[in-house]
Amino acid sequence: MPSEPQGPARPPEPPARRDPPSAARPATRLHPFSLVRGISLRQIAQTVPGALVAASALGGIGSPAAVVPVLLVLVALRVVAYLRHTYELSGESVVERRGILQRRERTVDLGRVQQVEVDQGLLDRLVGTAVVRLETASDAGESELELRVVSVEEASRLRASLPGRDVAGGQQPDGEELVHLPLAHIALAAVTGPRLLAIPVVVGGLVGFLVDLGLVEESGEAVVERLGGAGVGVVAALALAVLVVAVVVALVLGLLRDGDFRIRRVGDDLHVRRGLLATRDAVVPIARLQQVAVQHSLVRRALGFGSLVLYSAGGSAGQGSLERRLTVPLARRSELTPLALRLLGDAGPWPAVEPHPRRARPRVVARWWRRLALPAAVGLLLLTRAVPVTGALIVVALVAFAAAATGLGVLEHRQLASGRTTRLVVARGGALSIREVVAPTGKVQGTRVRSSPFQRRRDLATLVVHIAGPGGAVVMPDLGRTACAEHQSALERTPVSAGSAAP
Amino acid sequence: MNVERPSRRLDPAVVTVWRVIGASLVVPVVSAAVAVAVVTGLGWVWLVAIAVALLGVVAVGWYPGAAYERFRWTVEDGVVRIQQGIVFRTQASVPAFRIQHIDLTQGPLDRWAGLQHLVVHTAAPGADLELPGIAVEDAPRLRAELLALARDAAAVGSDGTVDAV
């Protein structure tokens, strides 16, 4: 296996390890609060069926004779699990041991630890504990360690004793502040974001559910008939109420989650902190960043804003998202590209993007036809349940579908563009909501050029640039075949990586 | 752009494996279609059954050979390249220093034919390359060659300009 090279700006010799005597510690238990905090959803899912079976065997669910012994057993099991869960820190690795019947010993080599996250939920804040998560570069799914929960002092001690992570626990160290979002921006982001749709979707689902149960009249006509003229006002008022509730909920949730959003650059790492009551605190090494997506949703674009998503690799896809996908909720449009470049470690100028060939337009339109065909069919089906089917309706629906698909295809084709410098590769797409993805050429794992017969006829192909991590591949659809080949050939050579501290 | 086509091919035995796999899918479908035609006795159902049978013949008789012809791979300039596909054509490339590990896999059919699949893994699952038919005698050597290439290429890059992932 190739040995892992050091990150770009680290000195050639191994990083000076802060290894004070207190760093090495013998097997320690978690904070007692983890008796409660340490219960995970998975554990609940595993024990509930067994508990229910036991309870019904003992005397029926709900009867005290059954519930009390079962509860006592569960509590006893939890206490034993807590007592048997230990972690041990030596100069070189962290060892976690847990399990009652099935013991698990997990060793994480400190040299491989790439990210350290310290989270405090609301309860943690009150009690004085925090969740500490260690993640490594291995994407193989092992080697992720989560200590839920330890005391805040222990969390800072752990953080301080991990090599390279020279962070004084909890406080923001010196460094350059790259992002600090004012509350107003967070609020705006919350109100224009996807969470806004959560309430209406839930309500819509509920109504559908009620209809299926037969509690509400199925035919729209019958409902209108019943309510009469005054009913329309009632429905309108209800809709408005739902909208207001949706806005308020989205606002509150957004502020709680992202309030006081800050990113500082400290050396080769990005320190991210966000959250009003429950804070999330993460260190993301710039070298771990795989790609950055700049998003302009329709509404935000109209207001002159956009958002950024940072994707970093490393660590399993299991519990603890650990900022593998970190969203900067809002930024002014003019600041988006410079910010993305700075977050990538001053990786050089944004590549000049060139639009994809004109002859690609029919292909892009065809793609939208395919994308919308199924949802349109489903929509039409639902519509026929509410409104009587006539020939005119079908025609109108088909025309609407054709117009929408073609319109979106044309819009997207106008946005399709891509470009490359020696250090970065960029692809832009999207019809209403535009998305521009930039990745350092140093992160390219491999490339694929794919062509369908239709594309070949027009001398087009699609280039897929594979990047590790949750962001997926950078895709340049319907690009000229020569351009694809050039990109592929250029990306095969040993590239220069982004992320060095030097400009 | 690489002017010459990648030149190496898979082991010819893989065509037989593909034919067997194709047949195992086609024969039940064709039999079902013919059975339905016999049972219903309708004219148009017979036409459909005949069409399906013809498609089956093409799928088993022609397609594996054509796909084999189209599958080319090469290792040169420190890059692993694969070209494949008849209708949907793909050119994939992975620089050697991106190779994380290499798997040799073998199903029962492959074992019977004396073949192995060689799968090159990178840090991005989408970039992984697969050579679906390498002779059992050659596979371990090829794997070792590629891993050595990967190690050397990674060493060249380890002056700090290339990240592990």
Side-chain angles (χ1 to χ4, degrees):
Chain A
M1 293 288 279
S3 59
E4 229 178 283
Q6 296 288 333
R10 301 230 167 79
E13 64 279 338
R17 294 228 275 234
R18 282 170 104 247
D19 213 332
S22 63
R25 49 202 310 106
T28 327
R29 294 211 184 99
L30 300 175
H31 190 277
F33 189 46
S34 68
L35 276 168
V36 171
R37 230 13 207 101
I39 301 176
S40 66
L41 275 174
R42 199 178 43 168
Q43 282 181 324
I44 296 180
Q46 281 172 349
T47 50
V48 161
L52 285 177
V53 166
S56 50
L58 281 178
I61 304 171
S63 86
V67 166
V68 171
V70 170
L71 271 181
L72 281 179
V73 168
L74 288 178
V75 168
L77 280 176
R78 184 80 200 98
V79 172
V80 172
Y82 164 76
L83 290 173
R84 305 261 287 172
H85 187 177
T86 63
Y87 66 97
E88 187 177 338
L89 191 65
S90 74
E92 291 184 352
S93 60
V94 181
V95 181
E96 184 201 27
R97 295 184 182 89
R98 57 192 298 177
I100 306 174
L101 287 177
Q102 181 156 344
R103 296 283 289 167
R104 185 184 82 183
E105 187 177 298
R106 174 170 280 181
T107 310
V108 177
D109 187 44
L110 285 185
R112 304 207 68 185
V113 171
Q114 297 290 346
Q115 297 184 26
V116 180
E117 187 179 84
V118 174
D119 280 358
Q120 277 192 306
L122 195 50
L123 286 176
D124 291 322
R125 277 229 168 156
L126 295 173
V127 175
T129 55
V131 181
V132 176
R133 277 192 268 264
L134 307 179
E135 277 202 4
T136 68
S138 145
D139 252 1
E142 348 103 15
S143 302
E144 184 194 71
L145 212 96
E146 179 179 86
L147 299 173
R148 173 194 282 264
V149 289
V150 296
S151 69
V152 173
E153 300 81 31
E154 176 72 357
S156 354
R157 264 197 301 265
L158 283 172
R159 230 189 181 167
S161 60
L162 293 175
R165 302 281 160 260
D166 215 3
V167 177
Q171 309 148 12
Q172 290 292 334
D174 288 337
E176 187 197 347
E177 187 165 85
L178 295 179
V179 175
H180 183 187
L181 294 183
L183 273 183
H185 283 190
I186 310 258
L188 186 61
V191 166
T192 55
R195 226 182 271 118
L196 188 67
L197 296 172
I199 299 283
V201 162
V202 166
V203 169
L206 218 73
V207 169
F209 184 55
L210 290 174
V211 167
D212 285 337
L213 281 184
L215 292 177
V216 177
E217 287 284 334
E218 228 191 81
S219 159
E221 279 182 346
V223 174
V224 171
E225 247 180 57
R226 263 195 334 161
L227 293 177
V232 175
V234 169
V235 170
L238 265 169
L240 192 63
V242 168
L243 192 62
V244 168
V245 168
V247 167
V248 169
V249 167
L251 200 61
V252 170
L253 286 179
L255 283 173
L256 280 179
R257 193 179 94 127
D258 289 326
D260 202 31
F261 191 102
R262 288 165 201 269
I263 303 184
R264 306 176 77 94
R265 175 169 176 174
V266 181
D268 285 334
D269 298 328
L270 297 175
H271 289 241
V272 185
R273 182 185 220 130
R274 59 187 181 146
L276 272 187
L277 293 177
T279 56
R280 301 197 76 192
D281 215 326
V283 176
V284 178
I286 292 180
R288 296 275 105 222
L289 280 183
Q290 302 295 318
Q291 56 184 294
V292 174
V294 174
Q295 287 171 322
H296 312 257
S297 74
L298 191 61
V299 175
R300 287 178 181 164
R301 198 166 12 134
L303 297 170
F305 289 94
S307 62
L308 265 179
V309 184
L310 304 172
Y311 298 96
S312 70
S316 53
Q319 346 110 326
S321 71
L322 194 63
E323 316 305 9
R324 296 206 318 144
R325 198 187 313 246
L326 172 70
T327 309
V328 178
L330 209 79
R332 289 191 204 283
R333 286 190 71 191
S334 49
E335 295 169 355
L336 284 169
T337 5
L339 181 59
L341 287 174
R342 308 210 45 210
L343 290 168
L344 282 170
D346 299 310
W350 194 268
V353 292
E354 290 189 6
H356 289 198
R358 289 218 67 197
R359 59 186 192 274
R361 194 158 66 181
R363 306 299 336 134
V364 181
V365 171
R367 240 181 266 281
W368 270 102
W369 277 69
R370 271 206 311 269
R371 249 181 239 150
L372 288 185
L374 188 61
V378 169
L380 189 64
L381 222 65
L382 290 177
L383 195 65
T384 55
R385 283 180 60 186
V387 170
V389 181
T390 63
L393 179 71
I394 303 273
V395 168
V396 165
L398 284 176
V399 167
F401 163 73
T406 312
L408 287 171
V410 170
L411 274 178
E412 167 145 35
H413 176 259
R414 259 205 227 131
Q415 296 300 333
L416 265 189
S418 50
R420 170 177 57 87
T421 60
T422 34
R423 296 184 76 177
L424 296 173
V425 63
V426 171
R428 185 173 75 192
L432 295 174
S433 176
I434 302 174
R435 189 183 146 95
E436 213 166 344
V437 180
V438 62
T441 51
K443 298 302 177 189
V444 174
Q445 301 293 322
T447 54
R448 255 182 181 77
V449 175
R450 267 203 199 96
S451 61
S452 70
F454 300 114
Q455 283 177 311
R456 280 198 292 282
R457 241 193 5 200
R458 293 174 177 266
D459 196 37
L460 295 170
T462 295
L463 174 68
V464 180
V465 179
H466 293 284
I467 312 274
V474 176
V475 182
M476 303 181 187
D478 299 312
L479 186 58
R481 276 214 284 181
T482 341
C484 283
E486 273 170 14
H487 283 314
Q488 185 168 50
S489 165
L491 291 170
E492 284 168 356
R493 304 189 216 115
T494 311
V496 180
S497 91
S500 63
Chain B
M1 171 169 182
N2 42 323
V3 179
E4 337 110 21
R5 253 174 107 188
S7 52
R8 299 172 75 164
R9 299 194 214 191
L10 300 172
D11 190 291
V14 78
V15 180
T16 321
V17 173
W18 287 346
R19 279 200 223 279
V20 170
I21 295 177
S24 70
L25 293 169
V26 157
V27 165
V29 170
V30 170
S31 328
V34 169
V36 167
V38 165
V39 163
T40 59
L42 293 172
W44 64 270
V45 181
W46 269 110
L47 276 177
V48 169
I50 292 175
V52 170
L54 281 175
L55 269 175
V57 167
V58 165
V60 175
W62 171 80
Y63 185 78
Y68 172 81
E69 270 304 309
R70 281 252 167 220
F71 195 107
R72 303 296 173 102
W73 62 280
T74 181
V75 182
E76 55 191 14
D77 306 325
V79 179
V80 184
R81 292 196 192 95
I82 292 184
Q83 240 182 46
Q84 60 176 309
I86 305 174
V87 175
F88 289 91
R89 299 193 194 153
T90 308
Q91 270 151 284
S93 98
V94 169
F97 64 90
R98 286 304 182 199
I99 299 178
Q100 299 275 339
H101 58 275
I102 298 182
D103 284 345
L104 290 179
T105 68
Q106 197 183 39
L109 264 178
D110 300 310
R111 205 169 304 141
W112 164 73
L115 294 173
Q116 279 185 310
H117 294 239
L118 186 134
V119 186
V120 173
H121 288 281
T122 64
D128 294 348
L129 298 180
E130 175 169 352
L131 298 175
I134 304 285
V136 171
E137 312 84 58
D138 301 327
R141 188 169 36 89
L142 181 58
R143 175 163 74 170
E145 265 175 42
L146 287 172
L147 285 177
L149 199 62
R151 212 173 304 130
D152 296 337
V156 163
S158 69
D159 56 346
T161 55
V162 177
D163 296 320
V165 171

